[in-house]
Amino acid sequence: MIRILAKSVLASAALLAAFGAQAQPNGAYIATPAETPTKTVLMTRDTAWQLRDGAYVATNAPMREMAACQLVARSTGALSGFSANGQSFDAAALDTCNAKAKGGKAVAAKASANAAPAN
């Protein structure tokens, strides 16, 4: 009986781990730098950001979305994209975030100009 119970618990844990790994966690932030990142880990206040596929990801940032975006921009420079809980910042919010970018407004303006498609 104990063996059956133990096998059931292990099977349940494996299923939960498989489904949990695919879902975006609550509080997940994704910051995409305009320039190629040079660090694999970035620390902002109490939040560790891991570099994944060219973007910094934090699964638990105990702050507002704009504050998180601005802290990353201060450390890395202008961002070409930022999302919180699966919701991407629009152009106006990204401009507000990039106003705090490392290098100042000139770097943020350059990143915005590079992000806009030429017609």
Side-chain angles (χ1 to χ4, degrees):
M1 179 75 172
I2 293 176
R3 286 184 186 167
I4 294 172
L5 180 59
K7 287 181 181 180
S8 297
V9 169
L10 289 175
S12 297
L15 284 173
L16 288 174
F19 284 112
Q22 293 178 359
Q24 185 176 12
N26 239 356
Y29 296 155
I30 301 171
T32 306
E35 302 289 326
T36 304
T38 57
K39 299 177 184 178
T40 56
V41 176
L42 178 70
M43 284 297 299
T44 59
R45 292 188 185 162
D46 296 332
T47 304
W49 299 77
Q50 299 291 324
L51 184 64
R52 295 185 192 154
D53 299 324
Y56 287 107
V57 178
T59 56
N60 186 16
M63 63 191 82
R64 294 182 346 257
E65 292 88 0
M66 183 58 72
C69 183
Q70 290 174 336
L71 287 170
V72 174
R74 281 184 189 160
S75 297
T76 65
L79 302 176
S80 62
F82 187 85
S83 67
N85 300 316
Q87 299 294 317
S88 295
F89 273 22
D90 61 13
L94 196 57
D95 286 345
T96 300
C97 171
N98 281 331
K100 300 287 185 175
K102 177 180 170 182
K105 292 183 181 181
V107 172
K110 179 182 173 187
S112 294
N114 289 342
N119 287 343

